[in-house]
Amino acid sequence: MTQRTPVLVGLSQVLQRADDPAAARPPIDLMVEAVREAVEDAETSGLRGRVDSVRAMKGVWGYRNPALRITEALDMPGAETGLSVVSGNQVQAVFNQSALDIQNGRREAIVLCSAECGRTMGRAAKANLELDWLEDDDPPHLPDASYGDTRWTRHEMEMNRGIQQAVQYYSLFEIALRWRNGETVEGHRARIAELWAGFNRVAQGNPNAWIRKPLTAGDIGTVSPANRAVTYPYTKLMNANMRVDMAAALVLCSLDLARSLGVPESKMIFPLSGTDAVDHYFVSERDNLHSSPAIRLAGRRALALAGVEVADLDFIDVYSCFPSAVQIAARELGLDLERPLSVTGGLTFGGGPLNSYVMHSIARTAELLRDRDGGRALVTANGGMLTKHSFGVYSTDEPATPYRHEDLTAEVHALPRREAATEYAGAAEIESYTVMFGGAAKATKSFRSVYGNRAAPTTEPSVAHLACRLPDGRRAWANVDDPDTLSAMCEQEFCGRPVRIDVAGGAVCQ
């Protein structure tokens, strides 16, 4: 083995719970603190001066080069600066690239960092307070490197029907799963509430989880004033929780550097392998709405590259923005839904700082591995509408082979693709559907509007979005706004039913 073997030596997580948005620290200050603590976590002097790249994850803020601010604040002169695009897979994807850069000798020590202040943004919006870090600044120079794919992931036909938000898509996936599994409406509702209660139990044991309050499946699955219906079948407590102020940082370096600086062996966590893959970009063009070929091919390949079986994994963190994401990943990877599939509590209870969540899942995974005398773990990451996927396998043991990485996107895109019907009127069959409730039905046009300026939520259904299969196999989208039909859709199974679509995209269920 080369001594350029990549190794994770430092980590940190920072939480802020300031009630006054005017007094809260901005994201850049949280990132600086997280990076400082991550470097100190390696328990060695000299590491800060050897960092030659700082790579930040893009967030809901206007800093155009936050990595530069960090290098200046922490005296890391000459370090390369980088910035990712916004996507939930980016932390693991950039980690994979960073491991390769160290192994190939391009970099010696790399910092990854992120921060979101969704809680502060929400409170500021409510108080009509302007936050100066939301606007673009003008740094001396833009980042040296950028990471990620900015391709749009919503089909024109989906947007024409008002389908733009993540919760709409993942609810559609959820109902498609229910239909595929042959579950009853009530049985399915109870099962996913119990699945999420398991994530809550994990959060109770995670010192850096945002919500550690014990909650039962009944608390999570039952609509109440504190737990409104968002999209059928999801309540608020089944959604990613973006109203959090969280930051995290990771420090990777070569094994040679770590040992020369005297980093304790107990601090070292080794990435064994990493993979990336992208499903068909548009949901409209996917073969079905209950699977992910990219997760199946890339996730299983990551384990194979590391020489690890599912049964060998001591810890797993499956990206958990919504219950459907967990269930699809578990099915594709051969994971038992009865075992813990999160180390944080997931994006609902651990905290869902948008693009940044996986920074926390890797940090928590490393903490747990450090506490074991030997262990292996899998971290999964998901961006878009179950679109972009990244995987990492980690171990406490120094690997016998070099770090290995593959991108499986070409193989995924060679698989069948369904045609979307942009204009259609006539008979069809309901493939999946979701029902939107009140203010939640208002589509957001930017991440900034996620945190404020939304219509007041209600418990009344407002519109249903239908994914429909046409007689020729194409897929079309339609909407229903009849109140009686909307109510029935929340109590009965509508998948498989015939429907007639009109030229304006309205539908009548038969």
Side-chain angles (χ1 to χ4, degrees), residues 273-358:
S273 65
T275 55
D276 300 282
V278 178
D279 273 307
H280 295 319
Y281 278 93
F282 297 132
V283 172
S284 292
E285 297 181 351
R286 295 182 192 167
D287 185 56
N288 61 67
L289 302 181
H290 56 71
S291 70
S292 169
I295 294 178
R296 180 172 65 255
L297 295 175
R300 296 191 179 208
R301 186 59 177 159
L303 292 171
L305 290 173
V308 174
E309 302 286 341
V310 166
D312 299 329
L313 295 169
D314 298 285
F315 302 105
I316 304 170
D317 196 81
V318 174
Y319 196 88
S320 49
C321 47
F322 302 96
S324 60
V326 172
Q327 295 166 82
I328 291 173
R331 182 186 293 275
E332 300 292 19
L333 298 174
L335 302 174
D336 185 351
L337 285 171
E338 297 299 318
R339 71 173 292 177
L341 295 179
S342 177
V343 297
T344 67
L347 280 83
T348 300
F349 309 109
L354 290 176
N355 195 36
S356 304
Y357 167 75
V358 177

Side-chain angles (χ1 to χ4, degrees), residues 66-132:
L68 178 63
R69 294 180 177 223
I70 292 166
T71 61
E72 292 174 343
L74 298 179
D75 192 22
M76 298 174 176
E80 172 201 54
T81 59
L83 184 65
S84 80
V85 301
V86 173
S87 188
N89 68 308
Q90 276 300 294
V91 174
Q92 185 61 61
V94 175
F95 190 106
N96 292 345
Q97 182 60 56
S98 299
L100 288 172
D101 288 345
I102 289 170
Q103 181 162 277
N104 295 335
R106 289 192 287 268
R107 296 294 168 193
E108 186 175 53
I110 299 172
V111 167
L112 277 62
C113 58
S114 62
E116 291 287 4
C117 289
R119 183 173 188 264
T120 292
M121 289 179 69
R123 287 172 176 255
K126 189 174 181 180
N128 293 318
L129 175 68
E130 293 291 331
L131 298 170
D132 58 10

Side-chain angles (χ1 to χ4, degrees), residues 188-206:
H188 168 261
R189 185 179 295 158
R191 184 180 62 76
I192 62 173
E194 185 54 52
L195 173 67
W196 237 229
F199 278 69
N200 175 257
R201 288 191 288 273
V202 171
Q204 293 172 42
N206 175 12

Side-chain angles (χ1 to χ4, degrees), residues 453-504:
N453 302 319
R454 293 190 295 180
T458 75
T459 58
E460 297 300 319
S462 58
V463 65
H465 302 299
L466 280 59
C468 302
R469 290 278 184 91
L470 308 187
D472 60 7
R474 291 181 298 163
R475 177 178 286 119
W477 298 93
N479 289 344
V480 171
D481 58 10
D482 174 64
D484 292 338
T485 304
L486 296 179
S487 295
M489 282 182 157
C490 297
E491 302 297 332
Q492 304 170 25
E493 180 62 81
F494 271 67
C495 290
R497 293 195 186 190
V499 65
R500 290 203 68 81
I501 304 174
D502 62 36
V503 293

